[in-house]
């Protein structure tokens, strides 16, 4: 394969007419080199296309100018759900602005998480952004052992780390408050048999949205709650279950826009008019989904791209702190507000 | 942030009651350690959650058990086009089967390619899979300087590397033959004014498909060719242009399924019936697209997932060869056959 020798430090030194040590100092950003020499070295570096051996440098400086993003889902799911693309876009913008490489670690499934841990621990990245964690996931433990600065997307739910305490910085939206607002909106429309299709209940976002649904209702009818998994297929399954169990339902709060899109398909199939017979509210406000459904979806908006940007920003500032030997000044948990976006479905 | 000290080699040695050197030999897979000692070391490694410092090891062994995937497109495009998800799925399956980490390097745009080059050269991965190259792309040069085994997805088109020669191993499908078959199918249906919407003509796949279109026709009317870019929006633009320029056209061969989906929308908008007035053939056979269009799309099938799997396999076998100091035995270019899939649009 393409195995051409890389220009060496020696070659740069020879071309620039300086010592090896001088090249090394310039390449490593040492300011104590006379500008005229530094300029010669930079020119030689450019001409030869020299790339310093960062693997060697990293042992000394621990800087790779790279940040890993770990999504605890199989890659088929990652590419099927625009949520991840939006969050990655926010992360990518922030990292790119700091000339830091985004390294996305893909896995086929949970069995691969040990290998992800080895890569994280292997001195290839300066920090990690981790999202879509599940409650019984081995990843947090693996990442902790890797000893890498980490920011989580979504409130971590494992019991051994105190919520929001040091060691578990995260960015989330107000899942519980947003869900409460969605259900109150449906109540305000006069609906009285309001069902809920949950997300994957091994994720805190799904649990928090379910709690918000319960908050809003004086009496909760367990028969009006069906478990989904944030996917359209899960929404379809749960909607069928609900219609069979509670044919008198007049509204549905779905835990995600994709879930709602599946529910809408089943309602149409069963001849229920939306919003006349059944009003539907989603969660996320992903335009690629919520504006395309039939009818367009009333939903709870969270700024997914901004959450990604914030996660990356927290990690970068924390990283700066660690370098100066100080603690990060950032609060451990950042929770963004949500807002209701009204379209035609409710 | 979560910065807990990592267990050291010394700690493992102390726990196992063996020397530091013995731990090192076990961790590095040296078979010359007595099984009873090796077992003690492995137990201590498990108990302490020890992870060897691969950055240090890599300087000696040059093995990271990781392969980079570089897609020369902004990440918004990567996530919008199911082509990349399918190719990544093939790559991911093959790498996972060998317990090798897939490292996807995301960029916002072409300005970031130098940084990608630094990461590739930095000793973080054992090889690279590169796709969606554009003709004027600086990436191939950057990657060559990084001195990393590389396999390209799609025939590289830059002039300085001889097609299929050593140094540019690639996997592609028979773009030209597939295009020829598509146009001949339309001719067989009695169509005589067959238009072509090209892909992005700075990519060899688009150029090869255009060549196949020309091959099949005795006389080529330049007015029947419009430039697209593999996206639905590009397909819409080009279809409008074609209908304005050649209102008598009775067939369209589109360079991708996404392109065809855009063209179908414009044909519907302009009141042209498909296939009665205008027959349409796409390229790719991505089920998420071709089965969802109205009407379902006749298209040229290429096995995208298999191409990804082959790329990864070629790289892994080549890597083995490089280790033994031998040349890879793999042919430099592997070209997979295509086949016409008939649905309703032609």
């Amino acid at each position: 394969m393409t195995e051409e020798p890389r220009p060496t430090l020696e070659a740069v030194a020879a071309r620039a007419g300086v010592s090896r040590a001088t090249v090394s100092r310039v390449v490593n950003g040492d300011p104590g080199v006379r500008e005229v020499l530094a300029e010669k070295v930079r020119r030689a570096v450019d001409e030869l296309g020299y790339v310093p051996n960062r693997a060697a440098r990293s042992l000394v400086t621990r800087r790779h100018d790279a940040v890993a993003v770990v999504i605890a889902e199989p890659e088929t799911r990652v590419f099927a759900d625009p949520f991840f693309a939006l969050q990655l876009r926010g992360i990518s913008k922030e990292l790119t602005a700091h000339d830091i490489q985004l390294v996305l670690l893909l896995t086929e499934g949970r069995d691969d998480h040990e290998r992800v841990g080895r890569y994280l621990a292997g001195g290839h990245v300066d920090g990690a952004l981790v999202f879509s964690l599940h409650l019984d996931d081995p990843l947090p433990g693996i990442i902790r052992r890797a000893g890498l600065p980490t920011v989580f997307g979504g409130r971590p739910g494992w019991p051994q780390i105190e919520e929001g305490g040091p060691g578990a910085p995260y960015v989330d939206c107000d899942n519980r408050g947003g869900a409460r607002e969605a259900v109150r909106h449906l109540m305000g429309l006069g609906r009285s048999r309001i069902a809920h299709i949950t997300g994957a209940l091994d994720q805190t976002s799904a649990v928090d949205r379910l709690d918000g649904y319960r908050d809003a209702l004086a009496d909760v009818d367990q028969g009006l709650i069906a478990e989904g998994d944030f996917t359209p297929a899960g929404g379809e399954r749960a909607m069928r279950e609900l219609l069979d169990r509670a044919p008198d339902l007049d509204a549905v709060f779905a835990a995600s826009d994709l879930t709602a899109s599946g529910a809408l398909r089943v309602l149409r199939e069963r001849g229920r008019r939306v919003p006349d017979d059944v009003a539907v509210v989603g969660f996320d406000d992903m335009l690629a989904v919520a504006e395309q459904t039939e009818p367009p979806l009333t939903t709870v908006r969270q700024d997914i791209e901004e959450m990604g940007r914030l996660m990356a920003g927290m990690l970068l500032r924390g990283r700066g702190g660690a370098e100066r030997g100080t603690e990060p000044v950032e609060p451990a948990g950042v929770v963004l507000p949500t807002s209701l976006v009204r379209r035609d479905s409710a």
Side-chain angles (χ1 to χ4, degrees), chain A:
Chain A
M1 319 243 136
T2 49
E3 191 85 67
E4 202 176 301
R6 214 150 57 192
T8 59
L9 193 71
E10 284 73 14
V12 175
R15 166 84 69 142
V18 302
S19 72
R20 216 179 156 288
T22 300
V23 175
S24 174
R25 283 160 67 198
V26 172
V27 164
N28 287 287
D30 182 336
V33 179
R34 276 192 300 136
E35 185 47 36
V36 55
L37 291 184
E39 180 48 41
K40 277 186 185 167
V41 170
R42 282 192 292 266
R43 205 179 317 126
V45 163
D46 282 345
E47 285 164 359
L48 295 175
Y50 173 74
V51 181
N53 186 335
R54 302 245 163 174
R57 283 182 57 198
S58 75
L59 292 176
V60 183
T61 63
R62 300 188 52 111
R63 281 292 290 268
H64 309 281
D65 294 324
V67 162
V69 173
V70 183
I71 306 177
E73 302 280 354
E75 44 80 23
T76 44
R77 174 86 214 283
V78 172
F79 275 85
D81 189 338
F83 181 91
F84 299 112
L86 282 167
Q87 201 143 30
L88 278 170
R89 189 185 306 171
I91 292 170
S92 179
K93 277 187 184 160
E94 182 73 14
L95 294 182
T96 299
H98 291 85
D99 201 23
I100 287 173
Q101 182 59 45
L102 194 168
V103 173
L104 180 59
L105 299 180
L106 284 188
T107 61
E108 273 286 296
R110 200 168 286 204
D111 294 347
D112 303 328
H113 288 179
E114 284 290 340
R115 192 184 59 238
V116 167
R118 285 202 302 275
Y119 198 80
L120 291 175
H124 303 299
V125 293
D126 301 309
L129 301 169
V130 181
F131 47 95
S132 200
L133 277 179
H134 299 259
L135 288 182
D136 58 344
D137 207 306
L139 255 183
I142 292 169
I143 292 169
R144 214 157 36 244
R145 286 211 295 273
L148 213 60
T150 304
V151 175
F152 293 95
R155 179 174 67 79
W158 54 93
Q160 68 272 35
I161 291 197
E162 194 183 311
E163 185 181 331
Y170 68 87
V171 175
D172 208 341
C173 79
D174 183 7
N175 290 300
R176 189 164 180 162
R180 222 161 26 215
E181 195 182 354
V183 177
R184 283 186 185 145
H185 174 66
L186 289 167
M187 293 163 78
L189 297 173
R191 308 292 163 137
S192 59
R193 296 285 289 160
I194 302 171
H196 177 42
I197 303 178
T198 73
L201 287 172
D202 64 345
Q203 299 193 270
T204 57
S205 55
V207 173
D208 292 351
R209 289 170 203 180
L210 174 58
D211 284 345
Y213 166 81
R214 289 185 201 276
D215 288 349
L217 295 167
D219 257 331
V220 174
D221 176 351
Q222 285 297 333
L224 285 173
I225 301 174
E227 194 169 339
D229 57 5
F230 291 126
T231 71
E236 289 186 12
R237 253 193 325 269
M239 193 69 245
R240 287 204 181 91
E241 204 181 305
L242 284 168
L243 286 173
D244 291 344
R245 210 156 61 196
D248 62 332
L249 62 84
D250 57 12
V252 179
F253 164 51
S256 76
D257 290 351
L258 286 176
T259 301
S261 75
L264 286 171
R265 258 198 299 278
V266 169
L267 288 167
R268 198 163 46 240
E269 188 184 293
R270 299 270 181 112
R272 306 284 183 119
R273 289 167 307 162
V274 176
D276 310 52
D277 301 331
V278 180
V280 177
V281 178
F283 202 111
D284 284 335
D285 195 35
M286 295 191 297
L287 299 186
V289 183
E291 287 188 340
Q292 304 303 321
T293 54
E294 182 45 41
L297 194 65
T298 295
T299 188
V300 178
R301 176 170 164 72
Q302 58 170 331
D303 193 338
I304 302 169
E305 187 172 331
E306 174 67 8
M307 286 165 66
R309 213 192 51 70
L310 275 176
M311 283 175 72
M314 277 172 75
L315 187 72
L316 295 182
R317 280 190 298 279
R319 195 175 69 139
E323 265 157 37
R324 296 188 306 274
T326 62
E327 283 303 301
V329 291
E330 205 71 40
V334 173
V335 177
L336 298 184
T338 60
S339 60
L340 193 77
V341 177
R342 296 185 195 199
R343 294 196 186 87
D344 301 338
S345 71

